[in-house]
Amino acid sequence: RLVCIERNNGKCILCSLCVRVCDEVAKQGILGLVGRGFPTVVKPEFNKPETVAACKDCKKCAEACSTGALRILDSQS
């Protein structure tokens, strides 16, 4: 399983900056706001390993996150 970015939904304020960075800067469009109302979370819309493989080298969404809800994991973890 490919894990390079850890999500903490408790810190997320749903500003969608990471979604915009993924779409407009990284040109990947992997992240999205999933769900409606209070259960809404930011996550890969299609959580398949081949879809999120681009995240391993990019990590721009985690760098843009102002609350620390997205954290880059060391490659040794």
Side-chain angles (χ1 to χ4, degrees):
R1 183 179 153 167
L2 174 68
V3 177
C4 55
I5 299 173
E6 180 181 70
R7 242 184 6 253
N8 181 339
N9 290 328
K11 291 182 177 181
C12 183
I13 59 172
L14 298 175
C15 68
S16 74
L17 179 60
C18 57
V19 175
R20 292 192 314 267
V21 166
C22 184
D23 187 40
E24 298 170 11
V25 177
K27 305 286 189 221
Q28 297 298 319
I30 295 170
L31 291 178
L33 293 170
V34 179
R36 295 176 66 165
F38 289 114
T40 303
V41 293
V42 173
K43 67 179 187 177
E45 294 182 280
F46 304 104
N47 199 11
K48 297 179 182 172
E50 60 273 7
T51 304
V52 296
C55 296
K56 183 179 179 189
D57 296 321
C58 178
K59 301 177 183 141
K60 290 179 182 172
C61 61
E63 293 167 358
C65 183
S66 61
T67 64
L70 297 175
R71 184 173 66 98
I72 299 170
L73 299 176
D74 290 334
S75 58
Q76 326 234 318
S77 298

